[in-house]
Amino acid sequence: MLPKTGTWLPRRNATTEQDYAHRIRQALRDELGGSRAAAKSIMRWTGASNRTARNWLNGAASPSGYHLVCLARESNGVLAAMLLLSGRPELALSADLRAIEAALAKAADAIARLRREQTGSQVE
């Protein structure tokens, strides 16, 4: 236990509020762009006002608590940014793996459908 001397201990990899706002802004813009439709999507996802959504898109403010969870639920980019900011980049990989699994399943279904169509046309 440290004595209370009033000195601050340095934080490991401290993320500033400005870094946080920038990363969330970048994740939202990468996924949605910067248009009015982007702000409307954010409003629909979170229930936040238009001004709040635009502030997040511009990096003037950052979501907190409930709104961050709502954004992470809808946006893989925000989820990845949140995991990176929290120092847990290995967990971001699981979201990527899930997306890859879904894409592979979709491709496998398409290949199976093509094979069925080819064998059906050869029999006739």
Side-chain angles (χ1 to χ4, degrees):
M1 188 164 166
L2 297 174
K4 293 184 179 186
T5 60
T7 58
W8 293 91
L9 295 175
R11 296 169 99 191
R12 273 190 0 214
N13 299 328
T15 300
T16 65
E17 182 75 25
Q18 197 172 27
D19 293 337
Y20 169 59
H22 176 74
R23 294 266 181 104
I24 297 300
R25 170 195 176 271
Q26 197 58 48
L28 289 170
R29 285 184 168 260
D30 288 348
E31 193 161 331
L32 300 172
S35 67
R36 288 183 185 190
K40 288 185 187 268
S41 292
I42 293 169
M43 291 167 53
R44 196 170 34 258
W45 293 348
T46 63
S49 70
N50 183 41
R51 182 177 207 78
T52 299
R54 286 183 306 168
N55 283 339
W56 294 342
L57 280 169
N58 295 328
S62 56
S64 60
Y66 175 74
H67 289 134
L68 181 62
V69 171
C70 291
L71 288 172
R73 183 183 307 129
E74 299 292 335
S75 167
N76 286 339
V78 170
L79 177 61
M82 187 174 72
L83 291 170
L84 290 172
L85 286 167
S86 64
R88 307 295 297 271
E90 69 279 1
L91 295 177
L93 181 61
S94 66
D96 292 340
L97 290 175
R98 186 171 239 176
I100 291 168
E101 284 176 337
L104 286 173
K106 194 173 184 179
D109 287 344
I111 290 170
R113 199 172 331 111
L114 286 172
R115 283 191 176 157
R116 283 193 304 272
E117 288 174 6
Q118 281 183 341
T119 58
S121 65
Q122 290 175 359
V123 172
E124 294 175 13

